[in-house]
Amino acid sequence: MSRGTIKKLLVVAFIAGFVAAYFLFDLGRFFSLDYLKASRDGFLSLYDRHPVLVLGSYFLLYVAVTALALPAATVVTLAGGALFGLWVGVVVVSFASTLGAALAFLISRYLLRDWVQRRFGDRLTRVNRGIAEEGAFYLFTLRLVPIFPFFVINTVIGLTPMRLSTYTWVSQLGMFPATVVYVNAGKELGRLDSLSGLLSPSLIAAFTLLGLFPLAARKALGWYRQRRRNG
């Protein structure tokens, strides 16, 4: 067994251990809406006494939840609004979610990309070329449409040739509108009875149109230029 394979197995074991501990010790109970509402006053008091410590701990927790694809991102985002308010919450959540997504992207690339490319390389040639040419537009659309799970996007795009720098700034830009919506909902935590309905169908449709517009504009411009050349 090669040294590189051993390193990958250690990374897999490390990640699997964290995820297993989350479910084994039922840590999900600390990431429920009911727990957040019941504990809000205590967290606010702690934040008043130790703002830097609470902000830093929250940031690291959010990064870990996103990078490991734990089913807690929605409640943690709401907690950002409940504890820090809209503006501070949006800034912290935006950068933490982007860093967590970048780490998930790197994990996917480090663990899976070589194997996927070796096994399906011939079939992925066209996909890789499309991602290299227009991947930023596709990623922006995927990020804006809330129906696509973030961990799926992180994993799949990590298998493509997209640069980490492109992935990072496009992800932060694409996730920003939904971040504002969720953090603002967290600011109004007392009015929330469930996690369903945070994004209305009309809001999802608006995000979808916003995400599709740059891709459609690029396609239309390419078609126009091709017509000009042919003409």
Side-chain angles (χ1 to χ4, degrees):
M1 187 178 295
S2 67
R3 190 173 180 179
T5 301
I6 294 176
K7 287 182 177 179
K8 289 184 178 181
L9 289 176
L10 289 175
V11 172
V12 171
F14 180 78
I15 295 172
F18 267 95
V19 175
Y22 177 88
F23 292 101
L24 183 63
F25 297 106
D26 192 24
L27 298 181
R29 68 184 186 275
F30 299 115
F31 297 96
S32 67
L33 183 60
D34 290 338
Y35 179 83
L36 176 59
K37 294 173 74 170
S39 307
R40 182 186 185 185
D41 291 340
F43 284 129
L44 284 173
S45 177
L46 184 63
Y47 178 54
D48 287 337
R49 298 195 307 270
H50 308 286
V52 176
L53 176 62
V54 173
L55 273 170
S57 300
Y58 174 85
F59 185 91
L60 293 176
L61 175 65
Y62 202 114
V63 170
V65 165
T66 307
L68 299 177
L70 298 177
T74 299
V75 171
V76 177
T77 304
L78 294 173
L83 296 179
F84 312 127
L86 180 60
W87 300 114
V88 174
V90 165
V91 172
V92 175
V93 169
S94 180
F95 283 96
S97 62
T98 300
L99 179 57
L103 289 176
F105 170 92
L106 290 174
I107 291 171
S108 172
R109 175 161 293 183
Y110 177 70
L111 295 179
L112 300 174
R113 184 184 174 190
D114 290 344
W115 178 82
V116 171
Q117 292 294 337
R118 282 197 305 269
R119 187 172 184 116
F120 305 104
D122 294 340
R123 305 178 200 176
L124 294 175
T125 301
R126 185 174 180 180
V127 174
N128 289 338
R129 185 168 60 250
I131 289 293
E133 293 174 355
E134 300 187 31
F137 292 89
Y138 289 114
L139 176 60
F140 182 72
T141 301
L142 292 174
R143 285 300 192 196
L144 267 175
V145 181
I147 62 175
F148 297 106
F150 280 8
F151 77 92
V152 172
I153 299 173
N154 298 336
T155 302
V156 172
I157 301 298
L159 304 178
T160 72
M162 180 177 288
R163 293 181 179 180
L164 176 61
S165 57
T166 301
Y167 178 83
T168 301
W169 74 261
V170 174
S171 292
Q172 183 155 24
L173 184 62
M175 292 188 294
F176 188 79
T179 295
V180 174
V181 171
Y182 278 98
V183 171
N184 185 65
K187 187 170 68 71
E188 306 295 334
L189 184 64
R191 301 179 185 178
L192 287 179
D193 295 321
S194 70
L195 297 179
S196 62
L198 289 175
L199 293 176
S200 64
S202 60
L203 192 57
I204 293 175
F207 283 167
T208 303
L209 291 175
L210 183 61
L212 289 174
F213 178 76
L215 184 61
R218 181 178 174 85
K219 291 289 187 181
L221 183 60
W223 175 81
Y224 175 74
R225 287 175 174 171
Q226 186 65 36
R227 287 287 299 268
R228 287 284 301 272
R229 284 196 294 268
N230 293 340

